[in-house]
Amino acid sequence: MTYADLIGVPFKDNGRDSSGMDCYGVVLEMCRRNGQHLPDLVYENAHVTIDRLGNCVAETGLKEIPESQAGAGNIMQCNYNGELHVGYMLDKNRMIHATASGVRVTLCRVFRQRKYFEVQK
């Protein structure tokens, strides 16, 4: 899984490229790089508002899985600084995600209210 070029990309609301990314932008890019299709709920499905993103699992083609099955290529949804957040799992313990200080890799265990999802191909 290649991702080194994403580390340090600045945070940008609804960002989808190297000029800036939000957390869902990182997930979309990692899915693309790994041959997984995930729709962009902000740009491809304009009828889905930001406040509904957390309830759109069916629209994204994701299947919730237990933590014991989670690993590389899965998506983790969690609580980060009191807000809904997502990241792309690099392995069972780490995910790449966007923070206010840019894209970085973080241990999954530091996040609360974790849910794990598998991209349905």
Side-chain angles (χ1 to χ4, degrees):
M1 233 180 286
T2 61
Y3 62 86
D5 60 311
L6 296 177
I7 303 299
V9 169
F11 177 84
K12 179 180 176 187
D13 277 329
N14 300 324
R16 299 293 186 261
D17 58 36
S18 60
S19 69
M21 292 184 153
D22 65 6
C23 61
Y24 196 63
V26 172
V27 168
L28 288 169
E29 178 60 20
M30 290 301 296
C31 283
R32 184 192 66 75
R33 290 179 182 201
N34 290 293
Q36 299 166 303
H37 175 71
L38 193 64
D40 188 333
L41 295 177
V42 174
Y43 294 111
E44 294 173 22
N45 296 333
H47 66 283
V48 179
T49 59
I50 295 296
D51 60 325
R52 288 188 47 229
L53 284 179
N55 299 317
C56 294
V57 172
E59 291 190 47
T60 60
L62 296 176
K63 175 186 172 191
E64 189 167 358
I65 58 173
E67 182 175 7
S68 62
Q69 293 178 11
N74 294 139
I75 296 168
M76 188 177 90
Q77 175 185 297
C78 58
N79 183 299
Y80 181 61
N81 293 334
E83 295 186 15
L84 179 69
H85 188 61
V86 292
Y88 190 88
M89 295 183 70
L90 300 173
D91 55 39
K92 189 162 190 64
N93 300 308
R94 301 173 306 141
M95 76 170 184
I96 185 168
H97 63 120
T99 70
S101 58
V103 176
R104 67 181 180 181
V105 174
T106 304
L107 292 172
C108 296
R109 70 173 183 242
V110 304
F111 298 99
R112 301 290 176 250
Q113 300 172 332
R114 297 184 299 264
K115 290 183 181 180
Y116 301 89
F117 298 90
E118 180 178 79
V119 179
Q120 301 294 290
K121 295 181 180 178

